Amino acid sequence: MNKDTEQTIEAAAAAENPLLAEWAGPYGGVPAFDKMAEMLPHLKDDLRKGMADTLAEIDAITANPEPATFDNTIVALERSGKPLDRMFSYWGIWGNNMSGPEFREIEKELVPELSDFQSKINQNEKLFARVRAVYEGEEMQNLRPDQQRVVLLTYEGFARNGATLEGAAKERYAAINKELAELYTDFSNNLLADEENYVHFLTADQLSGLPDSVVNAAKAAATSAGQDGKYAITNTRSSMDPFLTFSDERGLREKVWRTYYNRGDNGDEHDTNAIISEILKLRDERVALLGYDNYAQWRLENRMAKTPERAIDLMEAVWPAAIARVREEVADMQAIADQEGADITIEPWDYRYYAEKVRKDRYDLDSNEVKQYLQLDKLRDAMFHVAGRLFKFKFTPVPDGSVPVYHPDMKVWEVTNIDTGEHIGLWYLDPFARKGKRSGAWANSYRSHTTFDGKETVLSSNNSNFTKGAPGEPVLISWDDAETYFHEFGHALHALSSSVAYPTLNSGVRDYTEFQSQLLENWLTTDEVINNYLVHYESGEPIPAELVAKIKKAATFNEGFKTTEYLASAIIDMKLHTMDPAGIDPDKFERETLAALNMPKELVMRHRTPQFGHVFSGEGYAAGYYGYMWAEVLTADAAEAFANAPGGFYDEELAAKLVKHLFAVRNSVDPADAYRAFRGRDAEVAPLMRSRGFPVPE
């Protein structure tokens, strides 16, 4: 067959199954994001073909008459399913960034089929027998350490997901997975509906206290919703948070607060409580089939924490200091409210508003004044600077039109090595909120670094929900949002730094994977960033030294609120997955558990149970939300290492160790061993307490 004939056949296959097709274009091929609309009608057929082709690849592995080896079993598995992986890059965009009724209907139909597909692989007895033969065989001892790690993770992936079950137990396990997949989709769609359907449209006389940046963003949001002349406060954190911080209209603050924190809990068709109850029961039943006492015990077995008890011990060690700080914060706020003659008792919708007044009173620090120096584009440039100093990465915008995007707001940069010019990958940024995009901020990769089958370079992305300003106006964000921006960029740098050979080694350990991203937040307050990138959006003047001093002095301000709202969510998550879920009423459980913890009445969980997408839209953070704090123990410990290094946070020797031991290795090394290689010891809890301004326990 000549080359022209091969190309004709490939083109015909791409036209028939575009979602599975090899990616064309520069940089080793890129997703055809500009064809999303026309590819959606192909989704059903392409997914089914992709699953069938992958199962055929699995059958070829199990039909191999040769004894199982690393190459003919483990590597063959690593190589399988590539077209399906490409399809899921598009699926993720439709599910998270461009969700609409047509996709949701297709998703609902296909999710059970996807669950069946996964069960056919996880419960394939012949395949598991070959994997186990490699895991238990003599060859294992002669493999490289990273190859041994691939075998271990592959074996555990089967053993912990039903491969050892037989007969009725195996059938029930698969059936539970199918039911859960459908419930996760229902939960996500219900939550998105509440975020899209509840919007507060305000008039000009209801804007008292709001800074211009918030007013302009609200005006733009209303205009895009067809409400010219009004101002929209949408049901997302990026819209809710600044409104509750600055609005003088207490009645409106309460309405916006209730709308946001009642998502999924309105007793209507989008209520999620019944879905959550069923999810908890099915999770508990599924792990019981594997011999575990509860879901959390199963989930944490291969995490750094190892047991629910160790995770709970950490959270309970911090909790008393957190709620004690809340009591101090509330007392300070109440004093100011009394001085003003407000004649109120501090309620949850007052916390941000009066905290801002305390900040101004105690530190002479106005967060709106700080915001004038926090331009989204400048912060992005600051992140690029940090990436250059620590990782030797250079970010260059790709030529217009050279890389397809799915929305005009999306931008793309090529990432190269500063010293060698070597191409590392691409970084995509989708920064703004819009209808059909899920709330929050996240990072994901469309392609990960591997070398086992020819070098694959990284396609990484960051996604946010900042409120887009008026045309030509700079987007100004809060200090907390700036930290989140750096945080999510840390995930992207983790992906871009990868030096691993096999796809499985790009996976993460949940209570470790947040460490790298949390650590990067520390560079926001370094002098190089402050002096060069925090400049006034109108004058271009650098942020004044006295304002920087106030920011640093107030570094632990409101830490009671931040820690308590997070810990409440993490503790509820863990307790939901360690108790008997029979007959559970999620709302009642939340109320009673928080009461037993002496949860301050002036604030709520960061993610209330009915809207806890981390935990109930899938299994990524289920019994794992504690992982942010577990990782923060490492974060605070590592940050102190940089603070004490001769070159500070830009110390070249320590930065090289950071990249080598904690970023580039991904999951090719056990996280505990990786951290010891970096630090020379295990992490200690004391730096965490110091970083939050809490007393260090004996």
Side-chain angles (χ1 to χ4, degrees):
M1 186 183 297
N2 63 40
K3 188 174 182 180
D4 288 342
T5 304
E6 288 181 353
Q7 290 176 340
T8 301
I9 292 173
E10 289 174 1
E16 185 176 353
N17 303 110
L19 294 166
L20 304 174
E22 290 271 4
W23 290 341
Y27 310 110
V30 292
F33 285 148
D34 56 337
K35 302 289 195 297
M36 295 289 290
E38 60 198 69
M39 289 195 293
L40 186 56
H42 293 268
L43 180 53
K44 290 183 189 179
D45 289 342
D46 283 15
L47 177 60
R48 287 165 179 153
K49 177 174 171 49
M51 291 190 293
D53 290 350
T54 301
L55 291 175
E57 292 177 310
I58 300 298
D59 288 342
I61 296 171
T62 60
N64 191 331
E66 298 296 322
T69 66
F70 179 75
D71 283 333
N72 72 21
T73 300
I74 304 300
V75 173
L77 262 176
E78 293 291 288
R79 190 175 287 122
S80 67
K82 280 192 174 181
L84 201 56
D85 290 340
R86 290 192 289 270
M87 191 283 305
F88 277 120
S89 290
Y90 298 114
W91 177 286
I93 300 303
W94 280 314
N96 297 312
N97 302 72
M98 298 178 65
S99 183
E102 186 178 357
F103 170 73
R104 292 173 206 171
E105 284 301 312
I106 296 172
E107 179 187 35
K108 197 171 184 67
E109 179 181 342
L110 293 179
V111 159
E113 297 179 36
L114 268 171
S115 179
D116 283 339
F117 164 72
Q118 291 292 344
S119 293
K120 286 175 182 176
I121 296 175
N122 290 334
Q123 298 188 351
N124 187 313
E125 294 177 8
K126 292 180 180 178
L127 181 60
F128 180 54
R130 291 183 70 86
V131 170
R132 181 160 53 189
V134 178
Y135 176 69
E136 297 175 349
E138 294 181 5
E139 181 191 19
M140 180 74 164
Q141 306 310 313
N142 299 319
L143 297 174
R144 300 192 315 251
D146 67 318
Q147 293 173 328
Q148 292 179 346
R149 181 81 172 163
V150 175
V151 176
L152 170 65
L153 295 173
T154 303
Y155 174 80
E156 287 184 345
F158 281 94
R160 287 171 43 79
N161 285 284
T164 58
L165 299 177
E166 298 178 354
K170 175 176 282 192
E171 291 180 8
R172 180 57 186 151
Y173 194 96
I176 289 172
N177 276 341
K178 181 186 285 191
E179 291 180 63
L180 282 171
E182 295 177 24
L183 289 167
Y184 297 152
T185 301
D186 290 343
F187 179 93
S188 298
N189 288 338
N190 282 12
L191 189 56
L192 183 60
D194 270 3
E195 289 169 353
E196 289 183 346
N197 295 337
Y198 288 88
V199 180
H200 295 278
F201 290 102
L202 310 183
T203 55
D205 60 346
Q206 296 177 302
L207 305 178
S208 176
L210 298 180
D212 289 344
S213 59
V214 175
V215 171
N216 293 339
K219 184 176 182 179
T223 299
S224 67
Q227 296 281 341
D228 285 331
K230 292 190 177 181
Y231 304 82
I233 306 301
T234 61
N235 208 16
T236 62
R237 185 175 295 276
S238 61
S239 185
M240 170 276 296
D241 200 277
F243 185 83
L244 294 187
T245 301
F246 297 111
S247 174
D248 294 330
E249 303 286 343
R250 190 174 190 239
L252 282 176
R253 292 204 308 269
E254 180 178 357
K255 287 182 180 179
V256 169
W257 183 91
R258 290 191 183 280
T259 301
Y260 184 79
Y261 286 105
N262 282 342
R263 289 170 299 145
D265 198 23
N266 292 300
D268 58 10
E269 60 181 322
H270 301 306
D271 193 280
T272 62
N273 283 281
I275 296 172
I276 290 168
S277 300
E278 193 61 26
I279 287 173
L280 292 170
K281 285 185 283 188
L282 289 171
R283 284 176 177 170
D284 189 66
E285 181 186 356
R286 190 183 67 190
V287 299
L289 292 171
L290 299 173
Y292 294 90
D293 294 335
N294 54 62
Y295 181 86
Q297 185 186 71
W298 170 81
R299 172 53 75 195
L300 271 69
E301 183 181 50
N302 63 350
R303 301 281 171 89
M304 288 190 77
K306 302 303 182 187
T307 68
E309 291 75 22
R310 290 189 70 202
I312 290 171
D313 285 348
L314 171 62
M315 293 189 287
E316 290 185 344
V318 180
W319 179 257
I323 60 173
R325 179 63 59 82
V326 167
R327 285 194 289 271
E328 295 173 9
E329 291 170 1
V330 171
D332 291 340
M333 292 187 287
Q334 188 65 58
I336 284 185
D338 291 346
Q339 287 171 13
E340 294 180 344
D343 194 25
I344 65 164
T345 299
I346 298 295
E347 298 285 356
W349 44 90
D350 300 315
Y351 208 116
R352 292 169 176 83
Y353 180 74
Y354 280 98
E356 182 63 18
K357 289 177 177 287
V358 173
R359 191 199 312 268
K360 291 177 184 177
D361 181 67
R362 177 169 299 174
Y363 302 102
D364 191 24
L365 183 61
D366 181 345
S367 62
N368 187 50
E369 181 186 1
V370 175
K371 198 173 186 179
Q372 314 305 307
Y373 297 91
L374 298 175
Q375 300 175 63
L376 193 64
D377 288 351
K378 290 290 186 181
L379 287 165
R380 183 197 63 218
D381 292 342
M383 298 190 305
F384 291 169
H385 172 79
V386 171
R389 296 280 272 114
L390 300 183
F391 297 84
K392 306 297 183 183
F393 288 163
K394 179 182 179 181
F395 288 73
T396 306
V398 301
D400 288 344
S402 63
V403 174
V405 294
Y406 53 76
H407 191 278
D409 289 340
M410 190 182 216
K411 306 299 178 187
V412 188
W413 286 258
E414 182 186 10
V415 186
T416 55
N417 181 281
I418 287 176
D419 296 329
T420 67
E422 177 193 5
H423 173 73
I424 304 296
L426 297 180
W427 182 66
Y428 295 72
L429 176 64
D430 181 3
F432 300 120
R434 62 178 171 270
K435 188 176 177 64
K437 187 178 183 182
R438 75 172 173 91
S439 63
W442 67 97
N444 63 299
S445 294
Y446 311 129
R447 184 172 67 214
S448 297
H449 176 280
T450 57
T451 59
F452 82 110
D453 208 16
K455 186 175 180 180
E456 296 268 21
T457 56
V458 180
L459 302 178
S460 181
S461 78
N462 280 135
N463 308 268
S464 304
N465 270 279
F466 298 115
T467 302
K468 191 175 182 179
E473 295 273 341
V475 176
L476 305 179
I477 66 176
S478 69
W479 188 267
D480 284 349
D481 281 342
E483 288 182 331
T484 300
Y485 205 25
F486 269 67
H487 174 107
E488 294 302 332
F489 189 61
H491 284 304
L493 291 175
H494 198 187
L496 289 162
S497 301
S498 175
S499 64
V500 304
Y502 300 97
T504 290
L505 298 180
N506 281 302
S507 63
V509 177
R510 182 58 71 189
D511 54 6
Y512 176 67
T513 195
E514 294 296 339
F515 156 58
Q516 289 83 357
S517 52
Q518 288 176 346
L519 183 62
L520 201 77
E521 296 174 28
N522 288 274
W523 274 264
L524 174 61
T525 54
T526 59
D527 289 343
E528 290 188 21
V529 169
I530 287 173
N531 295 335
N532 294 290
Y533 299 98
L534 272 57
V535 298
H536 196 275
Y537 79 103
E538 289 179 331
S539 69
E541 291 294 316
I543 187 169
E546 56 269 24
L547 184 54
V548 173
K550 292 176 186 178
I551 291 171
K552 292 185 175 181
K553 186 178 179 182
T556 60
F557 174 74
N558 221 31
E559 196 58 60
F561 175 86
K562 296 175 188 175
T563 305
T564 300
E565 67 161 4
Y566 158 74
L567 272 180
S569 296
I571 292 171
I572 288 288
D573 168 39
M574 191 61 69
K575 289 186 177 292
L576 282 169
H577 291 101
T578 52
M579 47 85 75
D580 181 357
I584 185 172
D585 175 341
D587 270 347
K588 182 181 179 184
F589 180 85
E590 178 185 299
R591 286 194 305 272
E592 293 179 350
T593 302
L594 293 178
L597 288 167
N598 295 316
M599 175 75 170
K601 68 177 181 59
E602 294 86 2
L603 72 164
V604 293
M605 299 161 61
R606 180 171 179 82
H607 304 285
R608 285 198 54 238
T609 310
Q611 59 222 214
F612 210 162
H614 287 75
V615 173
F616 297 114
S617 63
E619 300 201 27
Y621 284 89
Y625 199 62
Y626 78 92
Y628 284 96
M629 178 152 285
W630 192 274
E632 198 163 338
V633 172
L634 306 177
T635 299
D637 192 74
E640 284 198 355
F642 272 100
N644 296 327
F649 278 88
Y650 296 94
D651 187 89
E652 291 188 7
E653 182 179 349
L654 195 58
K657 289 178 67 176
L658 176 78
V659 176
K660 177 181 178 180
H661 295 299
L662 299 179
F663 277 76
V665 297
R666 301 286 278 170
N667 198 11
S668 64
V669 177
D670 181 272
D673 293 336
Y675 192 81
R676 290 186 201 106
F678 166 73
R679 194 70 164 103
R681 58 166 174 77
D682 289 331
E684 299 172 350
V685 177
L688 169 70
M689 303 300 282
R690 285 193 289 269
S691 72
R692 291 174 181 252
F694 294 164
V696 178
E698 293 294 332

